[in-house]
Amino acid sequence: MTENTAPKSFIHEIVENDLASGKYGGRVHTRFPPEPNGYLHIGHAKSVCLNFGLAQQYGGKTNLRFDDTNPTKEEQEYIDAIKEDVRWLGFEWDAELYASDYFDQLYDWAVVLINKGLAYVDDLSPDEIREYRGSLTQPGKNSPWRERSAAENLDLFERMKAGEFDEGSRVLRAKIDMASPIINLRDPVLYRILKASHPRTGDKWCIYPTYDWAHGQSDSIEGITHSICTLEFVNHRPLYEWCLKSLDIYAPQQIEFARLDLSHTVMSKRKLLRLVNEGHVSGWDDPRMPTLSGLRRRGVRPEALRAFAETIGVAKTNSTIDYALFEHTLRADLEPIAPRAMAVLRPLKVVIENLAADQTEWFEVDYYRHDETKEETRRVPLTREIYIEQDDFMAEPLPKYFRLAPGQEVRLMHACLITCTGFETDADGNVTEVRCTYDPATLGGAAPDGRKVKGTIHWVSASAGAQAAVRLYSPLLRTENDDPDAPDTDDFIAGLNPDSFETLTAVVEPALLQAAAGARFQFVRNGYFYADPVESKPGQPVFNRIVGLKDSWAKQQPK
Ligand code: ATP
Ligand code: MG
């Protein structure tokens, strides 16, 4: 078999071609440029994996650059969280940089443009600017202030910087072409007045560069080779190139790829912030959140997120990835590494009548794990009273129901065969207790007479097991997507799944009581669980369900 050496994506192909042609002297230098206005989400993880992954693969470098040009929305808390999340994903940056470090240089370059007659101070109001811009079908018209002399522009720009003018009263604009079919080239705004103190530059500035003026030049200063961004920025590329060309400075290339959109969740920081602020979730790290901190808290491993990024790949057109694919990736990641143990999530008591009250049968059971050759074992006690799942018993079994039912025999996993002899109900007819007998000849193995049973159920000793809080999570949204055609509408709150979070008091086998915070298990037949790293106490674990065993949530979806 020949090894597949084809580049993984069109971006890999571009990079390989550039390496082959020596375009950047054999360098690959990428950057991940988050705006510190929220926590990273799984969409950002795709970008992190791509940018850092390219550098790793081709022996290059990656900068972590905070795109901190809007002081009104940015906070140190977000900067710290972003760094923690990138490291958790498994990547280390070559340099930690801030667009705000370049404010002096960006200002000087704006002066260069003014001197070249390529930028002017405009006195139109924000509304007027919008109106003068025209539309996709209508050309824009020139501002009356467009023909100011370089000297006048310099004077006004300096005074904007000095704080002489009010917010919204003046902006600096590039002088390009108000009739351009590319709206971003219709004299885009380069600087606006914002009388806000900046987390890093304090009160030094009251004018701040726009994304378009800051981004390409920051890339240029850092010697970035491939400036990778999402498809919304295709329309900004001509401006990105115009700025660098007008300044006659080193120009990286901007490459756009499709952003990750995952079904049944929201994925913009603005919306996630709203969920946090309005208390729809417990915080940025609520395990239902698609944030990296939420997924981490739920128990997802960074390996799974890297594998997911690999699986979905890098495309040139947008599409929505089904949440089921994400869950599939989580199971594939956990299946080989998570030890298996028994926990009963919705307990129903079973009394084994022919087992004495003071009798305990012990079983030495290994934690089955795919990728371990030598298994660890734990001891599992069987006592007269045990718990099974409520839905593992039916008083009036349906056809092909092979679990416990009057007169029916099942296997208690790892232990023995039991036969149901009766049950109790409360006044409402709910089953409160089930009676059984066990066959001592089947303890720890098969029936000597060779008889087989079709059902095997898990169970936990009532006296030796222990209660533990278990939390189940379902997708945040009831529907596949909040209105994809109007990503900025606020209707998504109405689409929140009211049942996305459920807390149960489960009964777990004794070995699980010793679970260390942060340990992961497969609870047989119930899914993959994580001992919550914050709330678990020694001897008192709290388990988060990372993911069910099968497409459990697909069944719950409203028809
Ligand atoms: P959001 O809209 O969620 O707030 P953003 O694009 O404003 O995201 P930034 O902090 O500006 O967030 O993004 C940092 C980097 O992550 C950018 O290069 C951006 O293109 C990338 N990115 C953001 N969201 C996604 C996504 N859903 N899929 C892939 N890459 C993304
Ligand atoms: Mg943004």
Side-chain angles (χ1 to χ4, degrees):
M1 231 177 76
T2 53
E3 207 183 321
N4 182 6
T5 51
K8 288 191 232 159
S9 73
F10 74 97
I11 297 182
H12 290 76
E13 205 167 305
I14 292 172
V15 171
E16 289 188 9
N17 287 338
D18 291 346
L19 283 172
S21 72
K23 185 168 176 186
Y24 301 105
R27 288 186 312 116
V28 175
H29 201 152
T30 58
R31 87 283 173 266
F32 174 64
E35 182 180 355
N37 61 349
Y39 282 57
L40 297 184
H41 52 60
I42 187 170
H44 293 113
K46 175 176 177 177
S47 174
V48 170
C49 290
L50 178 60
N51 280 297
F52 283 87
L54 282 167
Q56 280 180 350
Q57 189 173 347
Y58 299 107
K61 290 183 174 171
T62 306
N63 293 351
L64 174 62
R65 181 199 315 143
F66 291 100
D67 208 339
D68 58 346
T69 51
N70 184 353
T72 58
K73 291 192 186 149
E74 296 159 2
E75 289 174 25
Q76 186 63 37
E77 174 196 349
Y78 299 139
I79 291 176
D80 296 338
I82 288 168
K83 285 162 64 176
E84 182 183 357
D85 287 348
V86 172
R87 285 206 172 103
W88 175 73
L89 264 185
F91 299 104
E92 191 60 47
W93 43 92
D94 289 281
E96 174 185 335
L97 300 161
Y98 294 80
S100 58
D101 294 339
Y102 312 135
F103 280 174
D104 284 304
Q105 175 68 76
L106 292 170
Y107 180 86
D108 291 346
W109 274 333
V111 169
V112 170
L113 277 200
I114 292 172
N115 282 325
K116 286 187 175 183
L118 292 176
Y120 62 98
V121 172
D122 195 352
D123 298 0
L124 291 183
S125 70
D127 282 343
E128 286 167 327
I129 289 179
R130 209 168 302 123
E131 197 188 309
Y132 276 58
R133 189 174 290 133
S135 66
L136 283 173
T137 49
Q138 293 239 308
K141 51 180 186 180
N142 289 351
S143 161
W145 310 103
R146 198 172 193 260
E147 300 307 327
R148 278 174 161 151
S149 69
E152 188 184 356
N153 281 319
L154 279 179
D155 173 59
L156 287 171
F157 188 47
E158 237 166 65
R159 288 162 60 196
M160 273 171 66
K161 181 189 177 204
E164 281 187 36
F165 310 123
D166 289 339
E167 279 188 20
S169 64
R170 290 194 155 93
V171 291
L172 183 76
R173 299 179 71 172
K175 190 171 180 180
I176 309 180
D177 177 6
M178 288 305 291
S180 172
I182 300 159
I183 295 196
N184 280 312
L185 292 183
R186 293 183 189 173
D187 292 8
V189 172
L190 306 181
Y191 271 92
R192 68 266 200 232
I193 300 169
L194 281 176
K195 302 216 162 159
S197 161
H198 186 283
R200 291 177 63 84
T201 58
D203 294 322
K204 176 171 176 195
W205 297 90
C206 62
I207 56 171
Y208 289 95
T210 55
Y211 172 90
D212 288 312
W213 185 245
H215 205 88
Q217 282 81 293
S218 301
D219 285 345
S220 176
I221 292 168
E222 294 174 17
I224 301 302
T225 55
H226 302 85
S227 177
I228 299 166
C229 59
T230 44
L231 286 174
E232 318 85 89
F233 291 95
V234 167
N235 294 328
H236 292 251
R237 192 186 338 135
L239 179 54
Y240 181 100
E241 290 168 354
W242 182 91
C243 293
L244 297 169
K245 193 156 176 280
S246 303
L247 294 170
D248 194 22
I249 56 176
Y250 165 78
Q253 62 182 315
Q254 175 180 310
I255 306 169
E256 308 87 10
F257 72 103
R259 65 195 290 119
L260 167 63
D261 182 22
L262 194 57
S263 75
H264 295 88
T265 190
V266 293
M267 193 102 87
S268 95
K269 278 181 283 189
R270 196 181 56 76
K271 289 180 182 173
L272 296 173
L273 179 64
R274 211 176 139 198
L275 291 179
V276 172
N277 285 345
E278 294 178 11
H280 300 290
V281 295
S282 62
W284 285 100
D285 72 343
D286 185 303
R288 291 167 292 177
M289 292 279 271
T291 51
L292 299 191
S293 53
L295 294 168
R296 174 165 68 234
R297 182 73 186 263
R298 190 160 117 195
V300 170
R301 302 198 313 151
E303 288 87 341
L305 291 175
R306 295 199 299 264
F308 185 59
E310 195 76 25
T311 303
I312 57 181
V314 177
K316 282 190 220 183
T317 47
N318 283 321
S319 65
T320 300
I321 304 288
D322 202 306
Y323 198 80
L325 179 63
F326 179 56
E327 293 206 325
H328 170 81
T329 311
L330 299 184
R331 284 190 286 269
D333 177 61
L334 293 165
E335 206 265 347
I337 60 114
R340 297 181 189 183
M342 294 194 289
V344 174
L345 303 189
R346 294 179 174 83
L348 171 64
K349 186 176 275 186
V350 174
V351 179
I352 303 172
E353 293 177 305
N354 57 341
L355 204 60
D358 60 356
Q359 187 181 348
T360 304
E361 298 292 335
W362 288 97
F363 304 93
E364 188 83 10
V365 180
D366 67 21
Y367 290 110
Y368 175 82
R369 255 176 297 200
H370 254 187
D371 67 351
E372 300 278 309
T373 44
K374 186 172 160 293
E375 294 290 346
E376 274 172 77
T377 60
R378 86 278 188 188
R379 298 184 79 215
V380 179
L382 177 70
T383 53
R384 179 178 166 87
E385 294 194 347
I386 62 170
Y387 289 110
I388 65 168
E389 298 287 348
Q390 286 164 15
D391 63 8
D392 280 340
F393 175 77
M394 278 185 104
E396 290 165 33
L398 296 170
K400 297 203 172 150
Y401 183 82
F402 298 123
R403 291 169 267 169
L404 206 57
Q408 219 154 277
E409 187 172 47
V410 297
R411 173 169 298 282
L412 289 182
M413 190 177 287
H414 308 305
C416 61
L417 299 183
I418 58 170
T419 303
C420 174
T421 55
F423 60 92
E424 312 293 331
T425 54
D426 63 15
D428 300 326
N430 300 313
V431 177
T432 53
E433 192 175 296
V434 175
R435 293 190 304 276
C436 288
T437 55
Y438 84 107
D439 178 355
T442 62
L443 277 178
D449 63 2
R451 75 182 187 281
K452 297 267 188 289
V453 293
K454 285 199 166 136
T456 296
I457 62 176
H458 62 277
W459 55 279
V460 170
S461 158
S463 53
Q467 291 192 337
V470 162
R471 306 186 288 207
L472 307 184
Y473 307 103
S474 303
L476 272 173
L477 293 186
R478 275 182 296 168
T479 50
E480 194 172 309
N481 237 323
D482 55 317
D483 188 354
D485 297 324
D488 277 337
T489 58
D490 289 329
D491 308 345
F492 75 100
I493 296 290
L496 289 178
N497 174 8
D499 303 318
S500 57
F501 176 49
E502 191 181 358
T503 303
L504 302 172
T505 302
V507 183
V508 301
E509 62 168 273
L512 282 176
L513 261 197
Q514 305 317 317
R520 292 176 181 83
F521 294 93
Q522 183 192 119
F523 290 175
V524 285
R525 300 176 68 226
N526 276 323
Y528 293 97
F529 289 78
Y530 182 58
D532 189 278
V534 179
E535 286 167 66
S536 293
K537 306 264 173 324
Q540 224 181 310
V542 173
F543 291 104
N544 302 335
R545 183 157 73 186
I546 307 167
V547 63
L549 284 181
K550 281 266 148 9
D551 241 351
S552 51
W553 69 276
K555 282 187 239 137
Q556 300 163 13
Q557 285 185 85
K559 293 283 173 297

